[in-house]
C-alpha cells in the first residue's frame, strides 16, 4: 500500500513503499541507525546517483553527533523498523556562484576541494581568537569528509586516506572547544579518535587537558604521560601542564582543609584555641570545677596536652 504525505518539514514529501513495524522511533543521542539508501534524479529515467547496496555496505549514522550527516536524522525519524520509503526534497535552482551550497548538495570533487579551504579559514579564525567560528569551519570540513567516507569500506585505502584528513581537523576542533571551556565535548571526540588511533599523542594531550579541567586528576596524568611517551618532543609541554595541574590540586586541597576545618573538632576546642599560651581560657575569678574522680580500678587518663580531633581530607 502506498501513502503520500508531507512531513512536518518545509519542502519535503514522503511516499511509503513498504510499511514498517511498531511505533515511530524516538531516537536518543548516541543511537546508531543502520540503513540502505538510493539517491535518484527526479527525471523520466529516475537516474541512480548513489546506491549503498552497490557499495556493498549499509550507511550508519550516530544520532546527535556533532559531525552528523544533514537531513538524514529527520528522514529516518519518520520511518518505522523495516519500512521502505521515498523522499522528495524541493530544490531552488540558482547559479553555482550565487549561493553557498550545503554539504549534501556538493559532488565528491566539490567536497574534496572545499576541505582545505575550510581548514585554512578555521586556522585564520583561530589566529584572531574567534574560536567558535573556527570550530564551525573545522566541523563543516569534517562533515564533507564523513560524507565521502560513508561510501567507502572502512580501513581500506580510500577510507584511510580520508581518515588522515579528518584527524587533524578533529584535533583543531577540540582545541577550539578547550578554549571555549567545552571540556566534555573534547573528552567525547578525543576518546572516539583514540579508539581508532591509539598512538595519537596530540589526542592524548588534548584529552589530558580536558580531564585536568574537570578534576579527573588520575586520568589527566595518565594521558599526559602517554603523550610524552609517544612523542618525546611534547615532553616540555607535558612537564608544564603537570606543574600547573599539581599547583591547582594543592590549592584545591588547601581550600578544602580551610572549608572543613573544625567541623569534627571536640567541644571546647574553639574556646581553648582563643586562650593565650600558658593561660586559662576562663576569666579571672571564675569558679573552677574539678572533674569527676576516677572509679577504683579505672585507668587514669594519660598526662599531656589533649589533642583535638581532625577531619580526614
Amino acid at each position: 500500500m502506498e501513502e503520500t504525505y508531507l512531513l512536518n518539514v518545509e519542502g519535503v514529501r514522503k511516499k511509503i513503499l513498504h510499511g514498517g513495524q511498531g511505533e515511530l522511533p524516538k531516537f536518543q543521542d548516541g543511537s546508531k541507525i543502520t540503513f540502505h539508501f538510493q539517491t535518484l534524479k527526479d527525471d523520466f529515467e529516475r537516474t541512480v546517483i548513489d546506491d549503498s547496496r552497490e557499495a556493498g555496505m549499509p550507511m550508519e549514522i550516530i544520532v546527535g553527533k556533532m559531525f552528523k550527516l544533514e537531513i538524514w536524522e529527520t528522514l529516518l525519524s519518520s520511518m518505522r523498523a523495516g519500512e521502505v520509503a521515498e523522499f522528495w526534497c524541493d530544490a531552488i535552482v540558482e547559479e553555482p556562484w550565487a549561493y553557498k551550497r550545503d554539504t549534501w548538495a556538493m559532488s565528491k570533487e566539490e567536497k574534496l576541494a572545499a576541505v582545505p579551504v575550510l581548514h585554512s579559514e578555521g586556522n585564520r579564525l583561530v589566529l584572531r581568537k574567534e574560536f567558535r567560528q573556527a570550530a564551525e569551519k573545522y566541523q563543516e570540513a569534517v562533515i564533507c569528509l564523513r560524507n565521502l567516507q560513508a561510501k567507502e569500506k572502512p580501513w581500506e585505502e580510500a577510507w584511510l586516506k580520508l581518515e588522515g584528513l579528518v584527524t587533524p581537523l578533529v584535533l583543531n576542533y577540540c582545541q577550539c572547544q578547550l578554549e571555549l571551556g567545552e571540556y566534555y565535548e573534547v573528552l567525547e571526540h578525543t576518546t572516539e579518535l583514540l579508539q581508532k588511533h591509539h598512538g595519537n599523542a596530540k589526542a592524548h594531550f588534548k584529552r589530558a587537558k580536558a580531564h585536568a579541567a574537570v578534576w579527573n586528576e588520575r586520568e589527566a596524568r595518565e594521558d599526559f604521560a602517554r603523550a610524552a611517551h609517544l612523542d618525546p618532543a611534547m615532553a616540555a609541554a607535558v612537564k608544564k601542564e603537570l606543574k600547573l595541574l599539581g599547583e591547582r590540586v594543592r590549592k584545591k586541597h588547601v581550600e578544602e582543609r580551610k572549608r572543613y576545618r573544625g567541623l569534627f573538632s571536640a567541644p571546647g576546642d574553639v574556646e581553648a584555641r582563643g586562650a593565650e599560651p600558658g593561660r586559662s581560657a576562663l576569666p579571672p575569678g571564675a569558679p573552677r570545677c574539678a572533674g569527676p574522680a576516677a572509679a577504683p580500678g579505672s585507668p587514669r587518663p594519660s598526662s599531656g596536652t589533649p589533642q583535638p580531633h581532625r577531619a580526614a581530607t
Side-chain angles (χ1 to χ4, degrees), residues 169-197:
L169 288 164
V170 173
L171 289 172
N172 287 358
Y173 174 85
C174 288
Q175 183 60 41
C176 290
Q177 296 306 314
L178 281 173
E179 298 289 348
L180 294 169
E182 299 291 345
Y183 304 119
Y184 290 102
E185 182 87 3
V186 177
L187 291 175
E188 177 186 352
H189 291 296
T190 51
T191 298
E192 183 179 346
L193 191 62
L194 287 167
Q195 288 172 351
K196 299 177 183 176
H197 311 287

Side-chain angles (χ1 to χ4, degrees), residues 88-150:
W88 288 266
C89 298
D90 293 341
I92 300 174
V93 179
E94 298 181 35
E95 296 296 338
W97 58 84
Y99 69 103
K100 182 179 180 297
R101 302 184 72 183
D102 290 332
T103 302
W104 65 269
M106 294 181 182
S107 66
K108 177 180 178 180
E109 292 73 21
E110 288 172 328
K111 289 173 184 174
L112 287 172
V115 168
V117 175
L118 291 166
H119 197 159
S120 178
E121 289 177 356
N123 292 347
R124 178 178 55 82
L125 289 164
V126 166
L127 291 175
R128 292 165 53 179
K129 298 188 181 301
E130 297 177 15
F131 298 112
R132 195 172 304 280
Q133 294 87 337
E136 291 173 357
K137 296 296 182 182
Y138 296 136
Q139 175 192 349
E140 189 175 350
V142 171
I143 290 173
C144 286
L145 294 169
R146 292 296 191 209
N147 275 321
L148 295 173
Q149 270 192 314

Side-chain angles (χ1 to χ4, degrees), residues 3-5 7 13-16 78-79 83 85-87:
E3 182 181 358
T4 303
Y5 59 93
L7 287 174
R13 290 180 295 143
K14 175 183 177 181
K15 178 189 287 185
I16 297 176
S78 75
M79 301 177 68
E83 180 180 315
E86 284 186 352
F87 296 90

Side-chain angles (χ1 to χ4, degrees), residues 55-58 60 148-161 163 196:
M57 59 180 297
E60 293 182 350
L148 295 173
Q149 270 192 314
K151 300 172 185 177
E152 305 293 343
K153 291 185 178 180
W155 304 108
E156 292 194 353
E157 183 178 356
W159 188 94
L160 288 170
K161 185 177 180 180
E163 185 68 14
K196 299 177 183 176

Side-chain angles (χ1 to χ4, degrees), residues 213-227:
V214 297
W215 297 107
N216 296 336
E217 182 185 0
R218 178 179 60 82
E219 292 86 347
R221 292 186 181 279
E222 289 175 355
D223 269 332
F224 279 133
R226 183 65 176 158

Side-chain angles (χ1 to χ4, degrees), residues 67-83:
F67 305 128
K68 67 189 180 200
L69 309 179
E70 302 97 329
I71 201 62
W72 283 115
E73 284 189 18
T74 301
L75 303 183
L76 293 167
S77 296
S78 75
M79 301 177 68
R80 294 173 171 82
E83 180 180 315

